[in-house]
Amino acid sequence: MATKPADTPDVQGAAAPVYRTSPTAVEALDAHLKDHPEDLPVHTQEWDVSRSDIYVEDRWQPIFAEMRSKDPINKVTGSPYGDYWNVTSHKAIQHVEALPEIFSSSWKNGGITILDRHDDTVEDQRFELPMFIAMDRPEHTGQRRTVAPAFTPAEMTRLADDLRARTGEVLDSLPYGETFDWVEKVSIELTTQMLAILFDFPWKDRHLLSFWSDWAGDTEVALIPGLDEMRHTILMEMAAYFTQLWQERANAGEAPDLISRMIHSEAMNAMSPQEYMGNLVLLIVGGNDTTRNTMSGIVHAMDAFPDQRALFESDPSVIPNAVQECIRYQTPLAHMRRTATEDTDLFGHQVKAGEKLVLWYLSANRDETVFDNPDTLDFTRENARRHLAFGYGIHRCVGARLAELQLRILLEEMHARRMRVKVVGKVERVRANFVHGFRKLEVQLEKF
Ligand code: HEM
């Protein structure tokens, strides 16, 4: 859960601070469902894996395993998210992603999550933002090209010292022999700091980034009209804040932070305010929930597989592959969605133009035809890098190198401090079919 920011923004003239009195997205959803349990979507079909209870209760594994063995591409009709195709095997997902002309990401066709961008039930109340993850070629190409230089190996080297120093500070601030929430104290804090460094965002307001991201990226909140309005207000406020930053950076010279890069690039400096905002939300949400939940996943997985924790402790040379394996094992985004632009055959299934396909990365990364013993964490796994957690093809995660760097630094700095993290208390997971992660992870530290 994001911490609510207490301070007034640094940026003068930003809109009235709604966020100071607003609950986080998770708090708002919890409160709403307590009073209106009837608003929880009803799912009746066995293979309707859009149901969030299987993720919050961590019992999705056998359902996807059954689909992979019986019918890896299958159609669900009449779910609360409408009709959709489940695409569950590694091979089929790569195939779909390699054909972006036939399988569109465009928001005009429905976007990149199972939630339809133009859902009749809540139409006009939704705050829609165009972003390049939800664009097809050629628009996608130019906008991605603008952002990509922020993630080159040279840029990673430039950012590494700062990230390492900040990571060390956070780890050094943690208590030993006391129970605390790893999600709040480490995963959220470090990810927020990473994004603030990337955007050169006003440091004392950095917690706004995770607060906004939670509201922007929650597919469950968007299904409930009352909460969707609150989301709109909060995102408008984010828009005001970033518009102010945009103006400040436009008046300053070129700089390597992402906002300046966007302003001073040809492909992006003519963006409409909605496009500018959409791409910022993309970078914040894209980098936030994903990295955060992998940081929690690492600790949870090492606790569940003590032999792998022992290996990490005795041989830090496994760290780079351990990062890949932890990303595979956690898969912090459960799915991406595509929409067919024409009638087509998909491994013997007749997919019609306009139909939606949900690519379940969570399932591909447990595909037993690619990964031996896929439900086991194995830091020596030779093909861990073949995971699809970053997607595949033209939309493959542009921030992957930054995420890998931050995760590697976290493991290296934990190792340097001989820090062992044990899960001792509550483990709460996110109630969502899109973000796959942890809300709470109560741990204690000891030295190894
Ligand atoms: C473990 C961490 C991360 C995971 C698992 C992850 C996952 C993904 C996935 C699945 C996609 C879509 C790929 C596809 O459609 O084929 C994506 C795209 C993207 N990600 Fe990440 N991501 C992570 C970290 C980051 C970070 C740190 C950033 C930036 C700060 C970022 C920014 C983006 C952007 C901008 C896109 C859109 C790329 C495009 O459409 O061309 N991600 N990511």
Side-chain angles (χ1 to χ4, degrees):
M1 197 190 304
T3 317
K4 265 178 284 174
D7 292 340
T8 317
D10 278 344
V11 178
Q12 297 198 343
V18 178
Y19 59 81
R20 290 173 72 190
T21 49
S22 304
T24 63
V26 167
E27 286 166 354
L29 186 61
D30 278 356
H32 181 91
L33 292 178
K34 207 166 148 227
D35 295 339
H36 302 280
E38 72 282 1
D39 280 354
L40 257 183
V42 179
H43 303 252
T44 50
Q45 295 178 55
E46 204 186 345
W47 284 359
D48 177 8
V49 278
S50 69
R51 53 189 308 157
S52 53
D53 54 346
I54 60 175
Y55 307 103
V56 79
E57 291 161 20
D58 194 34
R59 53 185 183 81
W60 48 271
Q61 299 84 342
I63 308 174
F64 282 107
E66 190 186 13
M67 279 198 255
R68 284 193 305 274
S69 80
K70 292 188 177 157
D71 197 3
I73 300 169
N74 62 78
K75 193 169 174 185
V76 175
T77 50
S79 92
Y81 294 89
D83 301 350
Y84 65 92
W85 288 91
N86 279 318
V87 185
T88 65
S89 70
H90 193 278
K91 183 177 164 188
I93 291 178
Q94 270 192 343
H95 176 87
V96 168
E97 292 218 53
L99 297 169
E101 268 76 35
I102 301 179
F103 301 108
S104 164
S105 295
S106 173
W107 59 276
K108 293 175 193 153
N109 294 323
I112 47 100
T113 75
I114 191 166
L115 180 71
D116 284 321
R117 305 283 295 209
H118 303 292
D119 184 331
D120 291 342
T121 55
V122 284
E123 204 169 21
D124 300 331
Q125 294 180 36
R126 183 95 28 85
F127 183 56
E128 291 305 355
L129 293 167
M131 41 183 96
F132 69 87
I133 196 171
M135 288 178 193
D136 292 335
R137 291 193 280 215
E139 291 85 359
H140 167 260
T141 318
Q143 297 204 0
R144 179 172 168 121
R145 217 173 263 156
T146 304
V147 170
F151 301 96
T152 57
E155 269 304 291
M156 294 305 102
T157 307
R158 192 181 67 81
L159 296 178
D161 287 349
D162 204 0
L163 287 174
R164 190 175 294 281
R166 302 274 184 195
T167 304
E169 272 171 33
V170 169
L171 293 183
D172 288 337
S173 73
L174 300 173
Y176 277 78
E178 232 177 73
T179 302
F180 67 91
D181 181 10
W182 181 265
V183 174
E184 184 201 331
K185 289 253 185 308
V186 181
S187 309
I188 292 181
E189 187 56 36
L190 281 183
T191 307
T192 307
Q193 293 192 5
M194 177 190 83
L195 291 172
I197 291 171
L198 191 69
F199 288 114
D200 196 11
F201 192 82
W203 194 252
K204 82 179 177 59
D205 286 341
R206 66 187 185 280
H207 293 111
L208 285 169
L209 293 170
S210 45
F211 177 72
W212 289 330
S213 165
D214 282 355
W215 274 101
D218 199 311
T219 46
E220 305 282 310
V221 160
L223 276 187
I224 295 170
L227 294 185
D228 204 43
E229 259 165 50
M230 195 184 283
R231 176 173 176 264
H232 184 118
T233 310
I234 286 168
L235 294 190
M236 289 306 289
E237 187 164 270
M238 179 187 79
Y241 194 113
F242 274 114
T243 303
Q244 192 79 31
L245 271 188
W246 174 275
Q247 280 157 6
E248 284 178 5
R249 304 269 160 103
N251 296 334
E254 279 189 39
D257 70 90
L258 251 174
I259 296 175
S260 304
R261 240 174 234 288
M262 281 159 71
I263 292 173
H264 297 289
S265 78
E266 257 181 44
M268 280 187 152
N269 66 7
M271 281 185 302
S272 68
Q274 283 85 353
E275 272 185 324
Y276 166 60
M277 210 49 58
N279 284 316
L280 281 173
V281 172
L282 167 59
L283 286 155
I284 299 171
V285 180
N288 189 57
D289 285 311
T290 50
T291 314
R292 171 202 301 186
N293 284 309
T294 312
M295 287 181 183
S296 305
I298 285 176
V299 160
H300 187 263
M302 280 215 261
D303 196 74
F305 294 91
D307 61 322
Q308 296 306 294
R309 177 160 58 201
L311 179 61
F312 155 74
E313 290 174 356
S314 65
D315 181 7
S317 73
V318 299
I319 289 176
N321 205 51
V323 166
Q324 296 304 327
E325 175 67 351
C326 287
I327 296 173
R328 178 193 76 84
Y329 193 77
Q330 178 59 33
T331 311
L333 291 183
H335 77 263
M336 282 281 152
R337 168 258 182 90
R338 298 291 185 263
T339 308
T341 56
E342 56 186 68
D343 293 357
T344 188
D345 177 282
L346 183 60
F347 297 106
H349 299 273
Q350 303 315 307
V351 177
K352 297 254 175 338
E355 287 187 336
K356 93 172 125 178
L357 299 97
V358 183
L359 315 178
W360 293 104
Y361 297 138
L362 207 50
S363 175
N365 286 345
R366 301 294 176 99
D367 187 332
E368 37 292 279
T369 65
V370 176
F371 303 109
D372 291 338
N373 301 317
D375 294 326
T376 302
L377 187 78
D378 177 0
F379 289 166
T380 62
R381 188 184 292 285
E382 281 179 3
N383 65 353
R385 288 195 79 91
R386 279 193 69 196
H387 71 74
L388 292 181
F390 289 127
Y392 184 76
I394 64 166
H395 286 281
R396 185 177 188 274
C397 179
V398 80
R401 268 201 208 101
L402 176 61
E404 287 166 353
L405 174 68
Q406 172 67 81
L407 296 167
R408 178 166 61 76
I409 288 176
L410 173 62
L411 283 176
E412 285 171 356
E413 293 305 305
M414 282 166 67
H415 195 276
R417 286 163 180 73
R418 308 189 67 76
M419 181 183 278
R420 178 182 295 153
V421 189
K422 301 197 92 168
V423 178
V424 294
K426 273 194 194 153
V427 177
E428 283 175 21
R429 291 165 198 275
V430 175
R431 175 179 290 284
N433 57 32
F434 184 59
V435 171
H436 178 236
F438 296 87
R439 276 174 62 166
K440 185 179 274 226
L441 196 55
E442 289 185 341
V443 301
Q444 275 197 15
L445 303 183
E446 54 188 52
K447 293 272 182 191
F448 62 84

